[in-house]
């Protein structure tokens, strides 16, 4: 598309793209002094945060310690975590939880009145604070209520970010982010939003896979937009597959929380035999990558459609009280988890890599920040430790807000942006192309870039994604955009980044397991991809 005349724009101090835990946290921390626009591609509650079941990892018990939480995170990350990022996150965990409590989040308590802490795979202590088995909903609903009651925050639901706006900044001699082109799904028009700071909080990219625990919006929008704007990405090959999602044709993306295994649930073969002891001494409490590969291995060995997670040996009242959401949802699909095992399969769950940022959420492009699952902070390494994800959202959301607060006074407002030019496009009568490409992309990503990989499969996927991208570019250039086309375009970009990263990693580490390179390289290194228009090196020279 070509942009021509200056466009009318919505102007704010800070533009936040995404309405999950990260975006809401940042918005609330800034709204006392600054006007904030909060964009949500659907409703505010439709992101991944709402569906998070397990909880938030934090050092809250006197028997626990920052060093222990750090050690567990480093161990799960298989040598690729950045120790400074891990310690920064963990040291701020208690304050992050206290802020949520102050905002009104109601966490589950013991009969004594103390907060109940559970244990999940990879953790050496009980440190997961939770709200029954619907922690995400408790956190998200509370923050949404606070945002809606904050005068300085304007919420724009059903607005999907399209592309970032770059402008030269004469004060710095560098390019800066000045805003975003946004597709208003209600009136089907492209609008311009501008701000002195822009924050990507758009979540991950697990919708690139055929089977996922994520809601439909997890299409990697922020990662793709940042890449197109000249920002580096890192470790995109590390896609976490949650070991246990409900296997049922109508369940779609129902995750079975890891906390069940934390409270004694057992993984079993169709015969009823347990098997995890053959893969790891921690059995069901091994890190997610090990458990997911074990399930995948046993399913392929047996030709089974699914395996089973069984907590029926525990007291029925205990199960109903601690896992009311899972109990109720499984009952809707005909499974009483107090009496019978749950059929489960692995599914794409979390994007461990993303846009490279520092501890303040700063990207390679001036005035562009990124927080949450969109980012690569160094916290997760080659495999995310359970329940560190919401913690990262809270800690980096606050840290980015503090940096914006301290620096925004020195940032000049952006110049008016050019209007979006749709004068040479027409309405498509071939939307079947979008749905076909969407299905093809997600299927070959699942088949060729899944839990177990080979170089031959990855090269096939790379060939196919390039063909798809060519078709998408032609369609995008000639027809009016839709939300489905925007997401497909972004998913194709992110899928290519995942494939390129997987091809670059010639070893098996954490979530990346290759049959061609089953050993570990001696030196653990991040996979960093640099775009041709890398913002970190581009200098703008003011004309004389």
């Amino acid at each position: 598309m070509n942009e021509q005349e200056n466009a009318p724009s919505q102007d704010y101090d800070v533009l936040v793209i995404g309405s999950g835990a990260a975006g809401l946290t940042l918005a609330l921390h800034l709204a006392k002094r600054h006007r904030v626009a909060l964009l949500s591609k659907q409703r505010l509650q439709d992101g991944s945060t709402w569906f998070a079941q397990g909880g938030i990892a934090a050092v809250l018990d006197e028997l626990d310690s920052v060093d222990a939480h750090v050690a567990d995170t480093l161990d799960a990350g298989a040598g690729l975590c950045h120790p400074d990022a891990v310690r920064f996150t963990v040291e701020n965990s208690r304050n992050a939880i206290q802020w949520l409590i102050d905002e009104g989040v109601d966490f589950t308590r013991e009969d004594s009145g103390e907060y109940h802490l559970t244990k999940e795979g990879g953790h050496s202590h009980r440190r997961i604070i939770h709200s029954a088995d619907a922690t995400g909903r408790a956190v998200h609903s509370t923050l949404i209520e606070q945002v809606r009651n904050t005068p300085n925050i304007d919420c724009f639901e059903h607005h999907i970010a399209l592309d970032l706006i770059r402008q030269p900044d004469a004060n710095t001699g560098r390019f800066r982010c000045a805003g975003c082109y946004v597709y208003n799904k209600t009136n089907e028009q492209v609008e311009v939003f501008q701000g002195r700071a822009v924050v990507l909080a758009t979540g991950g990219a697990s919708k690139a896979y055929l089977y996922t625990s994520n809601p439909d919006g997890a299409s990697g929008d922020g990662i793709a937009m940042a890449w197109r704007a000249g920002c580096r990405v890192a470790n995109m090959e590390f896609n976490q597959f949650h070991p246990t999602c409900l296997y049922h044709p109508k369940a779609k993306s129902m995750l079975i929380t890891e906390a069940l295994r934390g409270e004694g649930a057992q993984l079993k073969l169709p015969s009823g035999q347990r098997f995890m002891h053959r893969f790891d001494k921690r059995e069901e409490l091994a890190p997610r990558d090990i458990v997911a590969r074990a399930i995948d291995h046993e399913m392929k060995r047996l030709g089974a459609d699914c395996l089973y997670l069984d907590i029926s040996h525990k007291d029925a009242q205990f199960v109903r009280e601690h896992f009311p959401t899972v109990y109720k949802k499984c009952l809707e699909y005909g499974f009483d988890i107090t009496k019978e095992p749950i059929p489960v399969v692995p599914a794409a769950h979390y994007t461990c890599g993303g846009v490279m940022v520092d501890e303040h959420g700063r990207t390679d492009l001036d005035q562009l920040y990124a927080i949450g699952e969109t980012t690569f902070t160094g916290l997760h390494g080659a495999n995310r430790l359970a329940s560190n994800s919401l913690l990262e959202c809270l800690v980096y959301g606050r840290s980015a807000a503090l940096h914006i607060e301290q620096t925004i006074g020195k940032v000049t407002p952006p110049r008016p942006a050019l209007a979006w030019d749709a004068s040479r496009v027409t309405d498509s009568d071939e939307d079947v192309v979008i749905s076909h490409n969407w299905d093809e992309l997600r299927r070959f990503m699942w088949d060729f870039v899944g839990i177990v990989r080979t170089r031959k499969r990855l090269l096939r996927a790379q060939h196919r994604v390039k063909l798809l991208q060519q078709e998408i570019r032609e369609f995008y250039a000639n027809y009016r955009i839709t939300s489905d086309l925007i997401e497909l375009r972004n998913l194709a970009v992110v899928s290519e980044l995942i494939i390129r990263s997987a091809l670059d990693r010639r070893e098996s580490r954490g979530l990346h397991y290759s049959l061609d390179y089953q050993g570990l390289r001696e030196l653990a290194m991040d996979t960093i991809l640099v775009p041709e228009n890398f913002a970190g090196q581009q200098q703008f020279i003011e004309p004389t």
Side-chain angles (χ1 to χ4, degrees):
M1 294 295 177
N2 295 317
E3 301 86 31
Q4 296 179 335
E5 300 176 356
N6 287 346
S9 65
Q10 302 259 24
D11 296 326
Y12 287 84
D13 296 318
V14 182
L15 171 61
V16 182
I17 305 171
S19 60
L24 297 179
T25 297
L26 179 135
L28 286 168
H29 276 92
L30 284 173
K32 290 181 181 178
R33 297 181 183 86
H34 304 286
R35 292 184 64 241
V36 178
L38 185 72
L39 304 186
S40 178
K41 65 193 297 186
Q42 298 173 28
R43 300 175 302 169
L44 294 186
Q45 65 266 37
D46 285 334
S48 295
T49 296
W50 187 272
F51 298 97
Q53 296 177 2
I56 308 171
V59 180
L60 302 170
D61 186 84
E62 61 182 15
L63 299 177
D64 197 5
S65 68
V66 168
D67 286 344
H69 190 172
V70 167
D72 291 344
T73 302
L74 293 175
D75 182 58
L80 272 185
C81 295
H82 294 197
D84 56 343
V86 175
R87 186 162 292 276
F88 171 74
T89 306
V90 173
E91 285 180 344
N92 283 282
S93 63
R94 181 182 289 270
N95 288 339
I97 298 302
Q98 187 57 56
W99 179 74
L100 287 180
I101 293 170
D102 293 342
E103 292 294 304
V105 177
D106 185 20
F107 291 111
T108 298
R109 295 180 182 267
E110 303 269 19
D111 292 338
S112 64
E114 297 292 321
Y115 288 111
H116 179 267
L117 303 178
T118 191
K119 187 178 181 181
E120 294 180 348
H123 290 275
S124 58
H125 293 271
R126 284 183 172 266
R127 64 167 68 98
I128 315 300
I129 190 168
H130 61 101
S131 184
D133 62 345
T135 306
R137 179 177 296 188
V139 170
H140 209 178
S141 61
T142 300
L143 296 184
I144 288 172
E145 182 180 2
Q146 296 288 7
V147 161
R148 291 199 185 281
N149 290 326
T150 300
N152 259 0
I153 302 176
D154 292 338
C155 298
F156 296 87
E157 295 179 295
H158 306 291
H159 283 64
I160 180 169
L162 184 54
D163 265 319
L164 298 170
I165 298 170
R166 292 197 341 167
Q167 288 182 352
D169 188 337
N171 294 325
T172 64
R174 292 164 53 91
F175 284 94
R176 62 175 284 184
C177 186
C180 189
Y181 292 108
V182 178
Y183 179 67
N184 184 334
K185 294 165 71 174
T186 302
N187 63 20
E188 300 182 343
Q189 298 296 313
V190 175
E191 301 171 352
V192 173
F193 283 76
Q194 293 192 266
R196 288 188 287 171
V198 178
V199 184
L200 297 172
T202 56
S206 287
K207 209 67 184 177
Y209 288 93
L210 185 62
Y211 302 111
T212 175
S213 66
N214 285 197
D216 287 340
S219 50
D221 301 331
I223 299 170
M225 286 191 295
W227 174 258
R228 289 194 293 265
C231 297
R232 292 170 299 166
V233 300
N235 287 7
M236 289 298 294
E237 69 270 36
F238 297 118
N239 310 97
Q240 188 173 75
F241 291 80
H242 197 286
T244 53
C245 285
L246 178 65
Y247 177 72
H248 189 281
K250 295 183 180 179
K252 195 176 181 182
S253 60
M254 181 183 167
L255 181 148
I256 305 297
T257 174
E258 189 159 347
L260 263 81
R261 284 180 281 133
E263 296 297 339
Q266 301 171 350
L267 283 164
K268 294 182 177 180
L269 303 175
S271 65
Q273 291 180 311
R274 296 178 68 184
F275 60 91
M276 276 306 303
H277 61 279
R278 301 203 305 269
F279 295 89
D280 195 281
K281 64 181 180 181
R282 291 164 290 188
E283 299 182 337
E284 280 80 4
L285 290 181
R288 287 176 176 173
D289 60 324
I290 295 172
V291 180
R293 276 201 304 275
I295 294 173
D296 182 71
H297 174 85
E298 291 299 305
M299 286 174 61
K300 288 175 178 174
R301 180 178 70 86
L302 297 170
D305 292 330
C306 66
L307 297 187
Y308 295 88
L309 183 66
D310 192 0
I311 199 170
S312 62
H313 56 282
K314 301 285 285 190
D315 178 73
Q317 184 176 349
F318 171 87
V319 173
R320 287 191 292 266
E321 287 179 353
H322 281 75
F323 306 106
T325 304
V326 173
Y327 173 76
K328 181 180 177 182
K329 294 295 288 185
C330 284
L331 209 57
E332 291 177 7
Y333 294 110
F335 304 108
D336 184 344
I337 68 173
T338 66
K339 298 178 181 179
E340 58 189 325
I342 309 165
V344 294
V345 292
H349 180 60
Y350 192 86
T351 307
C352 287
V355 183
M356 293 186 70
V357 296
D358 65 9
E359 70 175 31
H360 305 298
R362 292 183 295 181
T363 72
D364 293 319
L365 182 60
D366 289 353
Q367 301 315 120
L368 177 66
Y369 296 75
I371 50 178
E373 194 178 350
T374 303
T375 67
F376 167 79
T377 62
L379 171 64
H380 303 307
N383 181 27
R384 176 177 69 87
L385 182 65
S387 291
N388 269 353
S389 52
L390 285 176
L391 176 62
E392 182 183 42
C393 292
L394 300 168
V395 170
Y396 281 84
R398 178 178 180 272
S399 180
L402 290 176
H403 189 270
I404 292 171
E405 180 77 54
Q406 293 165 2
T407 60
I408 198 169
K410 301 176 183 177
V411 178
T412 57
R415 298 201 306 268
L418 297 172
W420 185 262
D421 180 13
S423 61
R424 293 188 293 276
V425 297
T426 60
D427 291 321
S428 168
D429 59 357
E430 292 288 336
D431 281 356
V432 67
V433 173
I434 297 176
S435 61
H436 175 83
N437 287 356
W438 181 284
D439 291 340
E440 182 182 350
L441 175 70
R442 298 179 67 211
R443 183 165 293 281
F444 74 65
M445 285 295 291
W446 180 263
D447 290 340
F448 299 152
V449 200
I451 296 173
V452 177
R453 299 165 177 172
T454 68
R455 187 165 182 81
K456 186 176 181 180
R457 292 177 196 165
L458 292 173
L459 288 171
R460 284 178 177 173
Q462 186 177 54
H463 176 68
R464 293 192 183 192
V465 80
K466 288 180 178 179
L467 292 176
L468 275 185
Q469 283 184 309
Q470 181 59 38
E471 287 188 19
I472 293 166
R473 279 193 292 269
E474 291 174 4
F475 199 94
Y476 184 79
N478 292 295
Y479 298 109
R480 296 192 192 282
I481 59 172
T482 64
S483 56
D484 286 343
L485 178 58
I486 294 168
E487 291 184 336
L488 175 62
R489 177 180 179 235
N490 290 334
L491 276 177
V493 170
V494 172
S495 295
E496 184 194 10
L497 297 176
I498 293 170
I499 296 164
R500 283 178 57 183
S501 299
L503 283 167
D504 283 352
R505 185 165 295 282
R506 300 192 178 190
E507 64 172 348
S508 289
R509 185 183 296 273
L511 298 165
H512 175 77
Y513 188 81
S514 171
L515 293 178
D516 298 315
Y517 308 100
Q518 296 188 37
L520 279 174
R521 281 188 169 181
E522 186 175 345
L523 182 62
M525 297 180 64
D526 295 321
T527 304
I528 298 174
L529 301 181
V530 183
E532 292 181 0
N533 61 336
F534 177 40
Q537 291 181 343
Q538 290 209 345
Q539 296 289 315
F540 167 74
I541 307 300
E542 187 75 43
T544 57

